[in-house]
Amino acid sequence: MSKLDKLQTSVRLSIVNPKSDSSSVFGRGIANLCKGVRDKGSLNAAAKSMGMAYSKAWRIIKDTEDSLGIQLLIRDGAHGSVLTEEGSALLDIYLSINEKISQETLELYEELTK
């Protein structure tokens, strides 16, 4: 099984609103945008750091907010953006779950490929 030892696991976590008809979810992409807003202080800076147009980032945020039924960002025009309390909590929960799941799947894969 030596060739299997060189492979890694990858898990894609998403948080959804089961009552929404929308296909928008809180997943890796939106989490990275929100983390960028937290770190850089604006949606524009977060989008640029990801190589994304501001208009696309805005649309993704808006679609996700509509789907989840919560506001993720407080936008203040030229003064940037900040995560709402719920947006910040959701990001922290997502990052924590993702880290735990990633570690557990890696350990399980290593165990099963021995």
Side-chain angles (χ1 to χ4, degrees):
M1 285 210 204
S2 63
K3 289 185 180 180
L4 294 179
D5 293 341
K6 297 175 185 173
L7 302 177
Q8 295 181 344
T9 59
S10 175
V11 176
R12 289 190 176 253
L13 172 66
S14 60
I15 298 173
V16 301
N17 178 352
K19 295 181 180 182
S20 175
D21 294 331
S22 172
S23 62
S24 293
V25 300
F26 192 97
R28 185 181 310 171
I30 193 78
N32 287 339
L33 267 177
C34 288
K35 190 167 182 330
V37 169
R38 179 187 282 171
D39 296 344
K40 299 177 185 316
S42 81
L43 181 58
N44 191 34
K48 283 183 181 178
S49 73
M50 295 174 68
M52 181 186 301
Y54 174 80
S55 59
K56 181 176 181 178
W58 168 257
R59 188 174 57 253
I60 291 169
I61 291 287
K62 191 68 182 139
D63 289 348
T64 305
E65 287 179 336
D66 290 345
S67 176
L68 297 179
I70 64 168
Q71 184 178 357
L72 298 172
L73 301 181
I74 298 171
R75 296 169 273 297
D76 190 14
H79 300 291
S81 301
V82 295
L83 295 176
T84 63
E85 188 175 321
E86 285 180 321
S88 186
L90 185 60
L91 176 61
D92 289 341
I93 290 165
Y94 177 89
L95 294 173
S96 180
I97 292 170
N98 193 58
E99 175 67 26
K100 188 169 192 146
I101 288 173
S102 294
Q103 185 60 39
E104 289 179 8
T105 57
L106 177 62
E107 290 169 8
L108 183 58
Y109 186 81
E110 288 174 355
E111 177 185 316
L112 294 173
T113 56
K114 285 184 180 180

